[in-house]
Amino acid sequence: MLNRSTPILVGLMMLAGMISFVVTFGSLDRGIGLEGAYQVHVTFDDASGLVTQSRVMLSGIPVGEITKIELDPDDPSRARVTLAIANHVKLFEGVLDPATGKYVNGASATRRQASLLGDYYVSVTPGIAGKVLTERDRIKNAVTEAGVEAIIGQMEKSTSVIFPKIEQIMDDVGVVTGSMRQAVGGEDGTQAIAEIRTNVIGASRDIAAISGGLRSFLDKKVFARGDSIRRIVGNLEQATATFRDTAGRVSGQLDTLMNDATHVTSDVRSFVDGQVDPDAADKPGTLTHTLTEFDRSIGTLQETLETGRSLAARVEQGEGSIGRLLTDTKLIDEAEAVIDDIREFTAIYGRLQVKVDLRSEYQYEADSMKHYVNFGLYPRPDKFYFFQLVADPQGAAKRRVTTTTTTAGDADPNVVVTDETKSNPEGLSFTAQFGKRWDWITLRYGLMESTGGVGFDMDFFNDALSMRFDLFDFSRSEWPRVRALAAWEFVKHVYVSAGVDDGVNAAHRDFFFGVGVRFDDDDIKSILPVVPSPM
């Protein structure tokens, strides 16, 4: 006898299954319950498998549902599907590509199969460019078939093309088989096949050796660096994602640039229209006004050319001062003679070399300083003019006679006593001499420190060592003034000097030593560019 509890358990299990079925399909029928969602629509070539309240997925996450499926009013051969999308999901329309007529970088909707039982849903991608879709807008990019269904549909469409090609291939195979039958038939064919077999075996062995070497190379060189390859691939994927984001941003910037270019083109067109307007001839700054003034200038220039042509004709005929100057050969010869004289005069001064010498000396006995500023003008290396400005503490000697009559004592009152004194007021003196040089010997004569004098110089070691002797001031009651000096240029342009002044007259003899600098016009030219000019 059967146990009565078994039928009761079976009945309870069936009842539980029926309740689970009703609850499950009832929850699916209610959808995801979106509140405050906005609706957009998309047009599919085929909406099979889609029903109202089917899911709308974004990256595998439900973001909406299908609210309505109907024929497209604009194209009744297609299906229009209305989608309710959650408010937090933003879809972009995309940017119209004029070349293809399609919207790029915009949202797209794809009909996908959820399982093999025929359940379908709509998968959307948000896009990255264009305006944000709002209520009742349209998703421009729609993909009706995807996945296995798309592959099967493509295969069905391809059969009409593939089968004729297969038949053609079979015909070609038949032709090749017949040719092979004729080629390999008989003993010659058998021998050829044997040779081919031998060659194939050898080639197989060579390929096996190459494969082994290639496998060893991949194991040691490539697969051992798998981490590096994975990093490279990862970097490429990251670079691709970055490029995709950058392309989306650049697309918007290009739209802005195109709009700006359109505005600029419009402004340029308006400017050009204003410039070439015939009514703008009296408006300064316009192109029409400029062309009008240019025409007037051309007319004035033509009149000037006519006047110049008339003057040239008169000059050619010898009329006027310029005509006589150009046609009178006597005037031309005299002008050429004057030019030659000026050329010779300037050539002399062009060859003139200037030497400057600055020297300061300490007078031992007088306990004072004496300063010299020397200028030498050299029209030729062996002839020169020497000028000197001297600040001398001794100055120029003067003689003063005082007469005194004695009236007391035993002295005769008629005797005149003469008292001679000399005064040496400090002052400036000037030297101007002409000089002539023979190798290392130089003679000078002329004015020496405001009195007549002559000089004798000796130069050695490329003028580094100089010895000078001066004889001047012959108006003294005693011996003339004799001065001897030796100078040594220890570095370029700088020298030291020492000597004796007034060495013949013991009462006025003094020893001195000093330092000086000397330079020529080449040195002056080199420092002139860096000397600041007064403003």
Side-chain angles (χ1 to χ4, degrees):
M1 184 176 181
L2 296 176
N3 191 357
R4 295 182 178 179
S5 60
T6 301
I8 296 174
L9 292 175
V10 172
L12 292 176
M13 290 181 64
M14 292 183 64
L15 180 62
M18 293 177 64
I19 294 173
S20 299
F21 178 81
V22 171
V23 172
T24 301
F25 280 89
S27 61
L28 292 175
D29 186 66
R30 288 194 299 270
I32 61 175
L34 294 175
E35 297 181 358
Y38 66 96
Q39 294 188 0
V40 295
H41 65 274
V42 60
T43 302
F44 290 114
D45 294 334
D46 184 7
S48 300
L50 296 177
V51 295
T52 57
Q53 296 186 353
S54 292
R55 295 167 296 170
V56 177
M57 308 289 285
L58 174 61
S59 299
I61 300 174
V63 295
E65 63 183 22
I66 298 176
T67 60
K68 187 177 181 180
I69 301 176
E70 59 184 347
L71 293 177
D72 188 3
D74 299 329
D75 186 2
S77 64
R78 307 181 68 191
R80 177 173 175 173
V81 180
T82 302
L83 310 178
I85 305 298
N87 285 329
H88 67 277
V89 178
K90 292 183 179 180
L91 303 180
F92 295 88
E93 183 181 29
V95 180
L96 179 62
D97 186 1
T100 61
K102 297 182 180 180
Y103 285 81
V104 297
N105 296 326
S108 64
T110 305
R111 185 177 72 96
R112 294 186 182 276
Q113 186 175 2
S115 64
L116 296 177
L117 298 178
D119 185 19
Y120 287 83
Y121 67 95
V122 176
S123 175
V124 296
T125 58
I128 58 174
K131 73 171 186 177
V132 178
L133 297 180
T134 57
E135 185 71 20
R136 299 186 183 279
D137 283 341
R138 176 189 170 192
I139 298 177
K140 305 294 183 179
N141 301 317
V143 181
T144 301
E145 298 177 350
V148 177
E149 182 181 2
I151 296 174
I152 295 174
Q154 187 66 30
M155 291 179 63
E156 290 177 352
K157 294 179 182 178
S158 301
T159 54
S160 60
V161 180
I162 293 176
F163 287 158
K165 291 184 178 181
I166 292 176
E167 292 178 355
Q168 183 178 359
I169 292 172
M170 294 301 295
D171 294 338
D172 294 337
V173 170
V175 173
V176 172
T177 303
S179 299
M180 290 182 64
R181 184 183 302 110
Q182 295 177 0
V184 301
E187 295 181 358
D188 295 336
T190 304
Q191 185 178 359
I193 292 174
E195 293 178 357
I196 293 172
R197 175 178 174 277
T198 303
N199 294 333
V200 169
I201 293 174
S204 300
R205 292 174 180 174
D206 295 337
I207 293 173
I210 294 173
S211 300
L214 180 62
R215 186 183 299 106
S216 177
F217 172 77
L218 292 176
D219 291 338
K220 295 179 180 180
K221 301 296 183 181
V222 178
F223 296 150
R225 300 180 180 179
D227 295 338
S228 300
I229 295 175
R230 283 192 292 272
R231 285 197 298 271
I232 293 173
V233 173
N235 293 333
L236 289 175
E237 292 177 351
Q238 184 177 1
T240 303
T242 304
F243 179 75
R244 186 185 301 111
D245 296 339
T246 303
R249 293 193 297 270
V250 170
S251 178
Q253 296 177 357
L254 288 176
D255 292 339
T256 304
L257 291 176
M258 293 301 296
N259 293 331
D260 294 341
T262 302
H263 294 316
V264 171
T265 303
S266 177
D267 294 340
V268 171
R269 185 181 298 108
S270 300
F271 173 76
V272 172
D273 293 340
Q275 291 291 321
V276 299
D277 188 2
D279 298 333
D282 297 331
K283 296 180 181 179
T286 61
L287 181 61
T288 304
H289 180 269
T290 302
L291 292 176
T292 303
E293 294 296 327
F294 182 74
D295 292 338
R296 295 175 183 173
S297 300
I298 291 297
T300 304
L301 180 60
Q302 290 177 350
E303 295 176 359
T304 304
L305 291 175
E306 290 295 335
T307 303
R309 188 178 296 109
S310 176
L311 291 176
R314 294 179 57 189
V315 169
E316 186 177 358
Q317 294 174 2
E319 298 179 4
S321 300
I322 298 177
R324 291 194 303 271
L325 179 62
L326 296 177
T327 57
D328 192 346
T329 57
K330 183 178 179 181
L331 290 176
I332 294 175
D333 293 338
E334 293 177 353
E336 291 179 350
V338 173
I339 293 174
D340 292 338
D341 294 339
I342 294 174
R343 185 182 297 111
E344 293 178 1
F345 180 77
T346 55
I348 293 175
Y349 282 93
R351 296 191 300 267
L352 186 66
Q353 186 178 16
V354 179
K355 294 185 180 181
V356 181
D357 189 337
L358 306 176
R359 186 172 80 252
S360 295
E361 296 177 350
Y362 175 71
Q363 303 286 334
Y364 180 75
E365 296 294 339
D367 192 17
S368 60
M369 296 295 295
K370 188 174 182 179
H371 308 284
Y372 299 85
V373 179
N374 304 328
F375 293 92
L377 302 179
Y378 289 77
R380 294 186 312 193
D382 61 340
K383 185 176 71 174
F384 63 91
Y385 302 94
F386 180 72
F387 301 95
Q388 184 183 68
L389 186 63
V390 183
D392 191 352
Q394 296 186 15
K398 294 184 179 179
R399 183 172 179 271
R400 184 182 63 187
V401 178
T402 302
T403 303
T404 304
T405 303
T406 59
T407 57
D410 297 333
D412 187 353
N414 296 323
V415 176
V416 177
V417 179
T418 300
D419 181 15
E420 180 179 336
T421 62
K422 294 183 179 180
S423 62
N424 298 307
E426 182 178 358
L428 296 175
S429 58
F430 182 73
T431 298
Q433 292 183 325
F434 172 78
K436 176 67 176 177
R437 179 169 179 171
W438 295 273
D439 198 5
W440 55 275
I441 299 176
T442 302
L443 294 180
R444 295 177 284 107
Y445 64 92
L447 190 65
M448 173 69 71
E449 295 192 12
S450 302
T451 64
V454 295
F456 174 75
D457 301 337
M458 294 184 296
D459 297 288
F460 308 98
F461 306 114
N462 198 19
D463 296 347
L465 176 62
S466 301
M467 302 182 67
R468 300 179 183 178
F469 302 92
D470 297 325
L471 180 63
F472 60 99
D473 198 2
F474 295 95
S475 62
R476 290 185 173 186
S477 58
E478 61 269 16
W479 296 100
R481 189 172 176 180
V482 178
R483 180 171 54 207
L485 176 144
W488 171 254
E489 186 178 27
F490 60 95
V491 295
K492 188 176 182 181
H493 303 307
V494 181
Y495 65 93
V496 293
S497 61
V500 58
D501 190 5
D502 208 353
V504 178
N505 300 310
H508 302 288
R509 183 183 301 125
D510 200 349
F511 298 92
F512 62 88
F513 61 91
V515 64
V517 294
R518 61 174 64 140
F519 47 89
D520 54 21
D521 52 356
D522 292 333
D523 301 318
I524 297 174
K525 292 176 184 177
S526 64
I527 65 173
L528 281 180
V530 299
V531 176
S533 59
M535 297 299 293

